[in-house]
Amino acid sequence: AGTATYTITPAANGCNGTPIVVVVTVNPAPNVVALPASQTICSGATTGIALSTTNGVAGATYSWTRVDAGVSGVLVGSGAAINETLTATGSTAGTATYTITPSVGGCNGVPINVIVTVNPLPDVVAAPIAEAICSGATSNINLSTSNGVVGATYSWTVVQSNVSGATSGFGTSINQTLTATTSNAGTATYTITPAANGCNG
């Protein structure tokens, strides 16, 4: 904090009165720095934004409000970090814009904005969801997304029992030639994971 000291002298008819002294204390305003300054996360993940002051003003606190576009979550908060779980509400990326205000001793610093992009999660639909084929035949399972997320890709792992020919892979369909290895029916169980924009469904 700095001070401004005023010495004030009254005057009338050429005569000065007794001066008085007025001291004005000027508290500094903190700044705020966000790390990272912007962020991209997957729907259902938690933000991780650390807040700090770099101009040397001690004791700063931080509060924020948030404006959403296609995102749901808590709209106000305070603290030294923003750790919130955000969910995309549509099939395209949403944004959460945080306006963060630093404060010390009743003095607010200049607010900053931090934008968090929230990518939605694709789903996966397999058609058919179960299939019975003859030994030596080829599976025909088509994969697609039903929730409208664009650019989904699909990968799978497989556990096979009394079957050969099933392998892990990726693509939009599972077409593998499978052979029963015993006199009993075998199974190939595929676990299929959809992904889009670095986010797994």
Side-chain angles (χ1 to χ4, degrees), residues 64-161:
W64 60 82
T65 59
R66 202 181 80 222
V67 176
D68 291 337
V71 172
S72 66
V74 180
L75 294 180
V76 295
S78 62
I82 303 176
N83 297 310
E84 295 184 337
T85 300
L86 302 179
T87 303
T89 57
S91 60
T92 58
T95 58
T97 301
Y98 292 90
T99 299
I100 306 159
T101 303
S103 179
V104 168
C107 298
N108 291 339
V110 177
I112 64 170
N113 288 335
V114 173
I115 298 176
V116 177
T117 301
V118 185
N119 286 319
L121 307 182
D123 64 358
V124 57
V125 177
I129 193 67
E131 186 179 37
I133 63 175
C134 298
S135 180
T138 300
S139 63
N140 184 23
I141 303 169
N142 294 309
L143 307 176
S144 61
T145 295
S146 68
N147 66 355
V149 176
V150 176
T153 59
Y154 313 97
S155 60
W156 60 85
T157 59
V158 62
V159 175
Q160 52 189 344
S161 175

Side-chain angles (χ1 to χ4, degrees), residues 135 161-163 179-187:
S135 180
S161 175
N162 298 328
V163 168
T179 303
T181 57
T182 70
S183 58
N184 297 316
T187 58

Side-chain angles (χ1 to χ4, degrees), residues 42 119 195-200:
C42 299
N119 286 319
N197 300 309
C199 298
N200 289 340

